[in-house]
Amino acid sequence: MTKVVNYISESFEELKSNVTWPAWAEVQRLTIVVAVFSVVFALATWGVDEVFAKALAVFFNWIKA
């Protein structure tokens, strides 16, 4: 159990002393970039899904007829 506690303690010390954290303005800017990309990617995925759904509906209606 001491090994786990020691590992966690050393990890937090590493985060405090050796990690270079970005400025708050950069964090906000990158968060906006990620949010915008996520929305664009979701819309693109939805668009492709709609196109395939309509294509399959047309295909199955054609086979059914």
Side-chain angles (χ1 to χ4, degrees):
M1 186 65 179
T2 31
K3 287 184 179 183
V4 173
V5 171
N6 191 27
Y7 174 77
I8 292 172
S9 173
E10 287 177 1
S11 296
F12 276 113
E13 185 60 37
E14 180 87 15
L15 285 172
K16 286 193 292 187
S17 60
N18 294 338
V19 174
T20 305
W21 297 99
W24 180 243
E26 185 179 7
V27 170
Q28 288 176 324
R29 183 181 61 82
L30 292 176
T31 301
I32 291 171
V33 168
V34 168
V36 168
F37 178 77
S38 297
V39 169
V40 169
F41 188 74
L43 289 173
T45 303
W46 172 77
V48 169
D49 181 55
E50 287 294 316
V51 167
F52 278 121
K54 289 189 189 317
L56 283 174
V58 167
F59 175 73
F60 285 119
N61 284 336
W62 176 70
I63 287 183
K64 194 178 188 182

